PDB file of all heavy atoms in Angstrom:
ATOM      1  N   ALA I   1       0.900  -3.951   5.316  1.00  0.00           N
ATOM      2  CA  ALA I   1       1.117  -3.797   3.882  1.00  0.00           C
ATOM      3  C   ALA I   1       2.460  -3.143   3.648  1.00  0.00           C
ATOM      4  O   ALA I   1       2.939  -2.361   4.464  1.00  0.00           O
ATOM      5  CB  ALA I   1       0.005  -2.967   3.238  1.00  0.00           C
ATOM      6  N   THR I   2       3.057  -3.469   2.517  1.00  0.00           N
ATOM      7  CA  THR I   2       4.311  -2.855   2.132  1.00  0.00           C
ATOM      8  C   THR I   2       4.316  -2.642   0.631  1.00  0.00           C
ATOM      9  O   THR I   2       3.633  -3.354  -0.112  1.00  0.00           O
ATOM     10  CB  THR I   2       5.513  -3.721   2.565  1.00  0.00           C
ATOM     11  OG1 THR I   2       6.736  -3.015   2.328  1.00  0.00           O
ATOM     12  CG2 THR I   2       5.538  -5.035   1.798  1.00  0.00           C
ATOM     13  N   ILE I   3       5.076  -1.660   0.201  1.00  0.00           N
ATOM     14  CA  ILE I   3       5.189  -1.360  -1.220  1.00  0.00           C
ATOM     15  C   ILE I   3       6.611  -0.907  -1.497  1.00  0.00           C
ATOM     16  O   ILE I   3       7.184  -0.112  -0.750  1.00  0.00           O
ATOM     17  CB  ILE I   3       4.150  -0.305  -1.659  1.00  0.00           C
ATOM     18  CG1 ILE I   3       4.225  -0.056  -3.166  1.00  0.00           C
ATOM     19  CG2 ILE I   3       4.304   0.990  -0.867  1.00  0.00           C
ATOM     20  CD1 ILE I   3       3.050   0.746  -3.693  1.00  0.00           C
ATOM     21  N   THR I   4       7.191  -1.429  -2.566  1.00  0.00           N
ATOM     22  CA  THR I   4       8.551  -1.079  -2.936  1.00  0.00           C
ATOM     23  C   THR I   4       8.553   0.081  -3.920  1.00  0.00           C
ATOM     24  O   THR I   4       7.510   0.501  -4.422  1.00  0.00           O
ATOM     25  CB  THR I   4       9.285  -2.267  -3.563  1.00  0.00           C
ATOM     26  OG1 THR I   4       8.725  -2.547  -4.853  1.00  0.00           O
ATOM     27  CG2 THR I   4       9.174  -3.504  -2.686  1.00  0.00           C
ATOM     28  N   SER I   5       9.747   0.580  -4.196  1.00  0.00           N
ATOM     29  CA  SER I   5       9.876   1.660  -5.170  1.00  0.00           C
ATOM     30  C   SER I   5       9.467   1.208  -6.563  1.00  0.00           C
ATOM     31  O   SER I   5       9.147   2.045  -7.403  1.00  0.00           O
ATOM     32  CB  SER I   5      11.312   2.191  -5.190  1.00  0.00           C
ATOM     33  OG  SER I   5      12.237   1.163  -5.501  1.00  0.00           O
ATOM     34  N   GLY I   6       9.489  -0.103  -6.795  1.00  0.00           N
ATOM     35  CA  GLY I   6       9.020  -0.661  -8.046  1.00  0.00           C
ATOM     36  C   GLY I   6       7.546  -0.979  -8.046  1.00  0.00           C
ATOM     37  O   GLY I   6       7.060  -1.623  -8.978  1.00  0.00           O
ATOM     38  N   ILE I   7       6.836  -0.569  -7.017  1.00  0.00           N
ATOM     39  CA  ILE I   7       5.389  -0.703  -6.860  1.00  0.00           C
ATOM     40  C   ILE I   7       4.972  -2.168  -6.695  1.00  0.00           C
ATOM     41  O   ILE I   7       3.836  -2.543  -7.007  1.00  0.00           O
ATOM     42  CB  ILE I   7       4.617  -0.026  -8.016  1.00  0.00           C
ATOM     43  CG1 ILE I   7       5.298   1.279  -8.430  1.00  0.00           C
ATOM     44  CG2 ILE I   7       3.183   0.281  -7.596  1.00  0.00           C
ATOM     45  CD1 ILE I   7       5.367   2.295  -7.300  1.00  0.00           C
ATOM     46  N   SER I   8       5.865  -2.998  -6.202  1.00  0.00           N
ATOM     47  CA  SER I   8       5.486  -4.332  -5.778  1.00  0.00           C
ATOM     48  C   SER I   8       4.857  -4.245  -4.389  1.00  0.00           C
ATOM     49  O   SER I   8       5.362  -3.529  -3.519  1.00  0.00           O
ATOM     50  CB  SER I   8       6.709  -5.242  -5.745  1.00  0.00           C
ATOM     51  OG  SER I   8       6.373  -6.526  -5.267  1.00  0.00           O
ATOM     52  N   THR I   9       3.762  -4.958  -4.179  1.00  0.00           N
ATOM     53  CA  THR I   9       3.021  -4.838  -2.928  1.00  0.00           C
ATOM     54  C   THR I   9       2.866  -6.172  -2.222  1.00  0.00           C
ATOM     55  O   THR I   9       2.940  -7.246  -2.828  1.00  0.00           O
ATOM     56  CB  THR I   9       1.621  -4.251  -3.160  1.00  0.00           C
ATOM     57  OG1 THR I   9       0.885  -5.108  -4.042  1.00  0.00           O
ATOM     58  CG2 THR I   9       1.712  -2.863  -3.771  1.00  0.00           C
ATOM     59  N   HIS I  10       2.650  -6.092  -0.929  1.00  0.00           N
ATOM     60  CA  HIS I  10       2.357  -7.248  -0.103  1.00  0.00           C
ATOM     61  C   HIS I  10       1.336  -6.829   0.934  1.00  0.00           C
ATOM     62  O   HIS I  10       1.439  -5.746   1.511  1.00  0.00           O
ATOM     63  CB  HIS I  10       3.619  -7.776   0.581  1.00  0.00           C
ATOM     64  CG  HIS I  10       3.334  -8.788   1.642  1.00  0.00           C
ATOM     65  ND1 HIS I  10       3.088 -10.105   1.355  1.00  0.00           N
ATOM     66  CD2 HIS I  10       3.226  -8.667   2.996  1.00  0.00           C
ATOM     67  CE1 HIS I  10       2.847 -10.762   2.475  1.00  0.00           C
ATOM     68  NE2 HIS I  10       2.927  -9.915   3.482  1.00  0.00           N
ATOM     69  N   TYR I  11       0.368  -7.702   1.185  1.00  0.00           N
ATOM     70  CA  TYR I  11      -0.666  -7.442   2.173  1.00  0.00           C
ATOM     71  C   TYR I  11      -0.795  -8.606   3.130  1.00  0.00           C
ATOM     72  O   TYR I  11      -0.619  -9.766   2.753  1.00  0.00           O
ATOM     73  CB  TYR I  11      -2.028  -7.229   1.504  1.00  0.00           C
ATOM     74  CG  TYR I  11      -2.109  -6.045   0.590  1.00  0.00           C
ATOM     75  CD1 TYR I  11      -1.863  -6.169  -0.770  1.00  0.00           C
ATOM     76  CD2 TYR I  11      -2.440  -4.787   1.089  1.00  0.00           C
ATOM     77  CE1 TYR I  11      -1.952  -5.082  -1.616  1.00  0.00           C
ATOM     78  CE2 TYR I  11      -2.526  -3.690   0.249  1.00  0.00           C
ATOM     79  CZ  TYR I  11      -2.281  -3.848  -1.107  1.00  0.00           C
ATOM     80  OH  TYR I  11      -2.372  -2.755  -1.930  1.00  0.00           O
ATOM     81  N   ALA I  12      -1.122  -8.288   4.355  1.00  0.00           N
ATOM     82  CA  ALA I  12      -1.513  -9.333   5.290  1.00  0.00           C
ATOM     83  C   ALA I  12      -2.778 -10.007   4.787  1.00  0.00           C
ATOM     84  O   ALA I  12      -3.628  -9.375   4.148  1.00  0.00           O
ATOM     85  CB  ALA I  12      -1.745  -8.739   6.679  1.00  0.00           C
ATOM     86  N   GLU I  13      -2.906 -11.290   5.069  1.00  0.00           N
ATOM     87  CA  GLU I  13      -4.026 -12.059   4.541  1.00  0.00           C
ATOM     88  C   GLU I  13      -5.377 -11.487   4.971  1.00  0.00           C
ATOM     89  O   GLU I  13      -6.326 -11.479   4.175  1.00  0.00           O
ATOM     90  CB  GLU I  13      -3.919 -13.522   4.972  1.00  0.00           C
ATOM     91  CG  GLU I  13      -2.800 -14.290   4.294  1.00  0.00           C
ATOM     92  CD  GLU I  13      -3.005 -14.418   2.796  1.00  0.00           C
ATOM     93  OE1 GLU I  13      -4.166 -14.533   2.356  1.00  0.00           O
ATOM     94  OE2 GLU I  13      -2.000 -14.401   2.062  1.00  0.00           O
ATOM     95  N   ASP I  14      -5.470 -11.008   6.178  1.00  0.00           N
ATOM     96  CA  ASP I  14      -6.764 -10.550   6.670  1.00  0.00           C
ATOM     97  C   ASP I  14      -7.149  -9.148   6.207  1.00  0.00           C
ATOM     98  O   ASP I  14      -8.228  -8.663   6.567  1.00  0.00           O
ATOM     99  CB  ASP I  14      -6.833 -10.639   8.201  1.00  0.00           C
ATOM    100  CG  ASP I  14      -5.731  -9.893   8.902  1.00  0.00           C
ATOM    101  OD1 ASP I  14      -4.843  -9.341   8.228  1.00  0.00           O
ATOM    102  OD2 ASP I  14      -5.763  -9.862  10.150  1.00  0.00           O
ATOM    103  N   VAL I  15      -6.303  -8.499   5.416  1.00  0.00           N
ATOM    104  CA  VAL I  15      -6.676  -7.198   4.863  1.00  0.00           C
ATOM    105  C   VAL I  15      -6.760  -7.209   3.347  1.00  0.00           C
ATOM    106  O   VAL I  15      -7.167  -6.200   2.749  1.00  0.00           O
ATOM    107  CB  VAL I  15      -5.720  -6.072   5.318  1.00  0.00           C
ATOM    108  CG1 VAL I  15      -5.589  -6.068   6.837  1.00  0.00           C
ATOM    109  CG2 VAL I  15      -4.359  -6.203   4.650  1.00  0.00           C
ATOM    110  N   LYS I  16      -6.396  -8.305   2.724  1.00  0.00           N
ATOM    111  CA  LYS I  16      -6.461  -8.392   1.269  1.00  0.00           C
ATOM    112  C   LYS I  16      -7.888  -8.162   0.779  1.00  0.00           C
ATOM    113  O   LYS I  16      -8.837  -8.699   1.325  1.00  0.00           O
ATOM    114  CB  LYS I  16      -5.961  -9.750   0.784  1.00  0.00           C
ATOM    115  CG  LYS I  16      -4.463  -9.937   0.872  1.00  0.00           C
ATOM    116  CD  LYS I  16      -4.041 -11.288   0.311  1.00  0.00           C
ATOM    117  CE  LYS I  16      -2.536 -11.460   0.346  1.00  0.00           C
ATOM    118  NZ  LYS I  16      -2.112 -12.784  -0.171  1.00  0.00           N
ATOM    119  N   GLY I  17      -7.999  -7.353  -0.248  1.00  0.00           N
ATOM    120  CA  GLY I  17      -9.303  -7.023  -0.797  1.00  0.00           C
ATOM    121  C   GLY I  17      -9.973  -5.854  -0.128  1.00  0.00           C
ATOM    122  O   GLY I  17     -10.952  -5.318  -0.664  1.00  0.00           O
ATOM    123  N   ARG I  18      -9.481  -5.446   1.031  1.00  0.00           N
ATOM    124  CA  ARG I  18     -10.061  -4.324   1.757  1.00  0.00           C
ATOM    125  C   ARG I  18      -9.127  -3.121   1.818  1.00  0.00           C
ATOM    126  O   ARG I  18      -9.591  -1.978   1.796  1.00  0.00           O
ATOM    127  CB  ARG I  18     -10.436  -4.739   3.183  1.00  0.00           C
ATOM    128  CG  ARG I  18     -11.464  -5.858   3.242  1.00  0.00           C
ATOM    129  CD  ARG I  18     -11.943  -6.106   4.676  1.00  0.00           C
ATOM    130  NE  ARG I  18     -10.857  -6.522   5.556  1.00  0.00           N
ATOM    131  CZ  ARG I  18     -10.436  -5.830   6.612  1.00  0.00           C
ATOM    132  NH1 ARG I  18     -11.025  -4.681   6.935  1.00  0.00           N
ATOM    133  NH2 ARG I  18      -9.448  -6.293   7.366  1.00  0.00           N
ATOM    134  N   PHE I  19      -7.831  -3.377   1.914  1.00  0.00           N
ATOM    135  CA  PHE I  19      -6.844  -2.308   2.015  1.00  0.00           C
ATOM    136  C   PHE I  19      -6.065  -2.200   0.713  1.00  0.00           C
ATOM    137  O   PHE I  19      -5.802  -3.205   0.046  1.00  0.00           O
ATOM    138  CB  PHE I  19      -5.850  -2.576   3.143  1.00  0.00           C
ATOM    139  CG  PHE I  19      -6.422  -2.493   4.537  1.00  0.00           C
ATOM    140  CD1 PHE I  19      -7.784  -2.380   4.768  1.00  0.00           C
ATOM    141  CD2 PHE I  19      -5.559  -2.533   5.628  1.00  0.00           C
ATOM    142  CE1 PHE I  19      -8.301  -2.313   6.043  1.00  0.00           C
ATOM    143  CE2 PHE I  19      -6.063  -2.465   6.914  1.00  0.00           C
ATOM    144  CZ  PHE I  19      -7.433  -2.354   7.129  1.00  0.00           C
ATOM    145  N   THR I  20      -5.657  -0.991   0.388  1.00  0.00           N
ATOM    146  CA  THR I  20      -4.830  -0.744  -0.780  1.00  0.00           C
ATOM    147  C   THR I  20      -3.705   0.208  -0.409  1.00  0.00           C
ATOM    148  O   THR I  20      -3.961   1.287   0.126  1.00  0.00           O
ATOM    149  CB  THR I  20      -5.643  -0.151  -1.935  1.00  0.00           C
ATOM    150  OG1 THR I  20      -6.716  -1.027  -2.280  1.00  0.00           O
ATOM    151  CG2 THR I  20      -4.753   0.051  -3.162  1.00  0.00           C
ATOM    152  N   ILE I  21      -2.480  -0.197  -0.699  1.00  0.00           N
ATOM    153  CA  ILE I  21      -1.331   0.647  -0.423  1.00  0.00           C
ATOM    154  C   ILE I  21      -0.838   1.250  -1.734  1.00  0.00           C
ATOM    155  O   ILE I  21      -0.861   0.598  -2.781  1.00  0.00           O
ATOM    156  CB  ILE I  21      -0.209  -0.134   0.291  1.00  0.00           C
ATOM    157  CG1 ILE I  21       0.890   0.809   0.776  1.00  0.00           C
ATOM    158  CG2 ILE I  21       0.360  -1.231  -0.601  1.00  0.00           C
ATOM    159  CD1 ILE I  21       1.888   0.142   1.723  1.00  0.00           C
ATOM    160  N   SER I  22      -0.400   2.489  -1.671  1.00  0.00           N
ATOM    161  CA  SER I  22       0.136   3.169  -2.837  1.00  0.00           C
ATOM    162  C   SER I  22       1.215   4.142  -2.395  1.00  0.00           C
ATOM    163  O   SER I  22       1.327   4.462  -1.204  1.00  0.00           O
ATOM    164  CB  SER I  22      -0.971   3.900  -3.612  1.00  0.00           C
ATOM    165  OG  SER I  22      -1.603   4.869  -2.796  1.00  0.00           O
ATOM    166  N   ARG I  23       2.010   4.613  -3.339  1.00  0.00           N
ATOM    167  CA  ARG I  23       3.075   5.549  -2.992  1.00  0.00           C
ATOM    168  C   ARG I  23       3.407   6.452  -4.164  1.00  0.00           C
ATOM    169  O   ARG I  23       3.118   6.131  -5.323  1.00  0.00           O
ATOM    170  CB  ARG I  23       4.339   4.812  -2.526  1.00  0.00           C
ATOM    171  CG  ARG I  23       5.036   4.005  -3.609  1.00  0.00           C
ATOM    172  CD  ARG I  23       6.245   3.250  -3.048  1.00  0.00           C
ATOM    173  NE  ARG I  23       7.381   4.128  -2.783  1.00  0.00           N
ATOM    174  CZ  ARG I  23       8.531   3.724  -2.250  1.00  0.00           C
ATOM    175  NH1 ARG I  23       8.688   2.446  -1.888  1.00  0.00           N
ATOM    176  NH2 ARG I  23       9.519   4.587  -2.052  1.00  0.00           N
ATOM    177  N   ASP I  24       4.020   7.561  -3.829  1.00  0.00           N
ATOM    178  CA  ASP I  24       4.561   8.494  -4.792  1.00  0.00           C
ATOM    179  C   ASP I  24       6.048   8.584  -4.500  1.00  0.00           C
ATOM    180  O   ASP I  24       6.454   9.167  -3.495  1.00  0.00           O
ATOM    181  CB  ASP I  24       3.886   9.864  -4.667  1.00  0.00           C
ATOM    182  CG  ASP I  24       4.333  10.850  -5.723  1.00  0.00           C
ATOM    183  OD1 ASP I  24       5.497  10.796  -6.166  1.00  0.00           O
ATOM    184  OD2 ASP I  24       3.506  11.701  -6.112  1.00  0.00           O
ATOM    185  N   ASN I  25       6.857   7.996  -5.365  1.00  0.00           N
ATOM    186  CA  ASN I  25       8.295   7.954  -5.122  1.00  0.00           C
ATOM    187  C   ASN I  25       8.922   9.348  -5.093  1.00  0.00           C
ATOM    188  O   ASN I  25       9.838   9.608  -4.313  1.00  0.00           O
ATOM    189  CB  ASN I  25       8.986   7.105  -6.189  1.00  0.00           C
ATOM    190  CG  ASN I  25       8.658   5.637  -6.064  1.00  0.00           C
ATOM    191  OD1 ASN I  25       8.289   5.152  -4.994  1.00  0.00           O
ATOM    192  ND2 ASN I  25       8.800   4.908  -7.164  1.00  0.00           N
ATOM    193  N   ALA I  26       8.442  10.231  -5.940  1.00  0.00           N
ATOM    194  CA  ALA I  26       8.998  11.571  -5.998  1.00  0.00           C
ATOM    195  C   ALA I  26       8.759  12.343  -4.707  1.00  0.00           C
ATOM    196  O   ALA I  26       9.576  13.172  -4.307  1.00  0.00           O
ATOM    197  CB  ALA I  26       8.420  12.336  -7.184  1.00  0.00           C
ATOM    198  N   LYS I  27       7.636  12.074  -4.067  1.00  0.00           N
ATOM    199  CA  LYS I  27       7.288  12.768  -2.830  1.00  0.00           C
ATOM    200  C   LYS I  27       7.623  11.972  -1.580  1.00  0.00           C
ATOM    201  O   LYS I  27       7.415  12.468  -0.469  1.00  0.00           O
ATOM    202  CB  LYS I  27       5.800  13.113  -2.821  1.00  0.00           C
ATOM    203  CG  LYS I  27       5.377  14.074  -3.919  1.00  0.00           C
ATOM    204  CD  LYS I  27       3.888  14.382  -3.824  1.00  0.00           C
ATOM    205  CE  LYS I  27       3.472  15.375  -4.893  1.00  0.00           C
ATOM    206  NZ  LYS I  27       2.007  15.672  -4.818  1.00  0.00           N
ATOM    207  N   ASN I  28       8.126  10.744  -1.754  1.00  0.00           N
ATOM    208  CA  ASN I  28       8.404   9.858  -0.622  1.00  0.00           C
ATOM    209  C   ASN I  28       7.202   9.762   0.308  1.00  0.00           C
ATOM    210  O   ASN I  28       7.322   9.873   1.532  1.00  0.00           O
ATOM    211  CB  ASN I  28       9.648  10.325   0.138  1.00  0.00           C
ATOM    212  CG  ASN I  28      10.936   9.985  -0.588  1.00  0.00           C
ATOM    213  OD1 ASN I  28      11.009   9.005  -1.326  1.00  0.00           O
ATOM    214  ND2 ASN I  28      11.962  10.794  -0.372  1.00  0.00           N
ATOM    215  N   THR I  29       6.066   9.542  -0.293  1.00  0.00           N
ATOM    216  CA  THR I  29       4.817   9.474   0.437  1.00  0.00           C
ATOM    217  C   THR I  29       4.127   8.142   0.166  1.00  0.00           C
ATOM    218  O   THR I  29       4.141   7.653  -0.966  1.00  0.00           O
ATOM    219  CB  THR I  29       3.889  10.634   0.041  1.00  0.00           C
ATOM    220  OG1 THR I  29       4.534  11.877   0.337  1.00  0.00           O
ATOM    221  CG2 THR I  29       2.575  10.571   0.802  1.00  0.00           C
ATOM    222  N   VAL I  30       3.545   7.581   1.198  1.00  0.00           N
ATOM    223  CA  VAL I  30       2.803   6.335   1.080  1.00  0.00           C
ATOM    224  C   VAL I  30       1.430   6.516   1.702  1.00  0.00           C
ATOM    225  O   VAL I  30       1.273   7.235   2.699  1.00  0.00           O
ATOM    226  CB  VAL I  30       3.575   5.165   1.739  1.00  0.00           C
ATOM    227  CG1 VAL I  30       3.749   5.397   3.239  1.00  0.00           C
ATOM    228  CG2 VAL I  30       2.875   3.838   1.479  1.00  0.00           C
ATOM    229  N   TRP I  31       0.435   5.894   1.097  1.00  0.00           N
ATOM    230  CA  TRP I  31      -0.931   5.935   1.591  1.00  0.00           C
ATOM    231  C   TRP I  31      -1.440   4.524   1.824  1.00  0.00           C
ATOM    232  O   TRP I  31      -1.027   3.573   1.169  1.00  0.00           O
ATOM    233  CB  TRP I  31      -1.858   6.620   0.589  1.00  0.00           C
ATOM    234  CG  TRP I  31      -1.532   8.040   0.291  1.00  0.00           C
ATOM    235  CD1 TRP I  31      -2.004   9.143   0.940  1.00  0.00           C
ATOM    236  CD2 TRP I  31      -0.676   8.527  -0.746  1.00  0.00           C
ATOM    237  NE1 TRP I  31      -1.498  10.290   0.368  1.00  0.00           N
ATOM    238  CE2 TRP I  31      -0.673   9.932  -0.669  1.00  0.00           C
ATOM    239  CE3 TRP I  31       0.098   7.910  -1.736  1.00  0.00           C
ATOM    240  CZ2 TRP I  31       0.057  10.737  -1.532  1.00  0.00           C
ATOM    241  CZ3 TRP I  31       0.830   8.705  -2.602  1.00  0.00           C
ATOM    242  CH2 TRP I  31       0.807  10.089  -2.497  1.00  0.00           C
ATOM    243  N   LEU I  32      -2.355   4.411   2.747  1.00  0.00           N
ATOM    244  CA  LEU I  32      -3.048   3.164   2.978  1.00  0.00           C
ATOM    245  C   LEU I  32      -4.537   3.452   2.995  1.00  0.00           C
ATOM    246  O   LEU I  32      -5.046   4.053   3.948  1.00  0.00           O
ATOM    247  CB  LEU I  32      -2.619   2.513   4.293  1.00  0.00           C
ATOM    248  CG  LEU I  32      -3.213   1.132   4.564  1.00  0.00           C
ATOM    249  CD1 LEU I  32      -2.696   0.112   3.552  1.00  0.00           C
ATOM    250  CD2 LEU I  32      -2.899   0.668   5.983  1.00  0.00           C
ATOM    251  N   GLN I  33      -5.219   3.042   1.937  1.00  0.00           N
ATOM    252  CA  GLN I  33      -6.660   3.178   1.857  1.00  0.00           C
ATOM    253  C   GLN I  33      -7.293   1.964   2.509  1.00  0.00           C
ATOM    254  O   GLN I  33      -7.065   0.834   2.076  1.00  0.00           O
ATOM    255  CB  GLN I  33      -7.116   3.299   0.401  1.00  0.00           C
ATOM    256  CG  GLN I  33      -8.617   3.418   0.222  1.00  0.00           C
ATOM    257  CD  GLN I  33      -9.167   4.710   0.775  1.00  0.00           C
ATOM    258  OE1 GLN I  33      -8.595   5.777   0.544  1.00  0.00           O
ATOM    259  NE2 GLN I  33     -10.266   4.628   1.514  1.00  0.00           N
ATOM    260  N   MET I  34      -8.086   2.187   3.534  1.00  0.00           N
ATOM    261  CA  MET I  34      -8.690   1.112   4.299  1.00  0.00           C
ATOM    262  C   MET I  34     -10.200   1.184   4.146  1.00  0.00           C
ATOM    263  O   MET I  34     -10.829   2.148   4.587  1.00  0.00           O
ATOM    264  CB  MET I  34      -8.290   1.199   5.770  1.00  0.00           C
ATOM    265  CG  MET I  34      -6.783   1.207   5.997  1.00  0.00           C
ATOM    266  SD  MET I  34      -6.335   1.178   7.754  1.00  0.00           S
ATOM    267  CE  MET I  34      -6.958   2.780   8.263  1.00  0.00           C
ATOM    268  N   ASN I  35     -10.766   0.173   3.525  1.00  0.00           N
ATOM    269  CA  ASN I  35     -12.202   0.086   3.317  1.00  0.00           C
ATOM    270  C   ASN I  35     -12.770  -1.101   4.075  1.00  0.00           C
ATOM    271  O   ASN I  35     -12.052  -2.010   4.471  1.00  0.00           O
ATOM    272  CB  ASN I  35     -12.525  -0.052   1.826  1.00  0.00           C
ATOM    273  CG  ASN I  35     -12.074   1.125   1.008  1.00  0.00           C
ATOM    274  OD1 ASN I  35     -12.094   2.267   1.469  1.00  0.00           O
ATOM    275  ND2 ASN I  35     -11.675   0.864  -0.235  1.00  0.00           N
TER     276      ASN I  35
END
């Protein structure tokens, strides 16, 4: 998964619907929630 500073996202096909990527630009932090 990838996420831009504009919050555009991309996921691998086999994780779509299960994983969610997010970020905080001010903190330069990214998370990957995996369900």
Side-chain angles (χ1 to χ4, degrees):
T2 187
I3 183 168
T4 70
S5 58
I7 322 299
S8 177
T9 60
H10 169 81
Y11 297 93
E13 289 296 326
D14 56 356
V15 308
K16 287 183 178 179
R18 299 188 298 117
F19 291 9
T20 302
I21 189 169
S22 60
R23 67 183 286 178
D24 185 328
N25 291 336
K27 297 181 178 179
N28 284 331
T29 300
V30 63
W31 298 270
L32 185 66
Q33 179 67 45
M34 304 185 294
N35 298 326

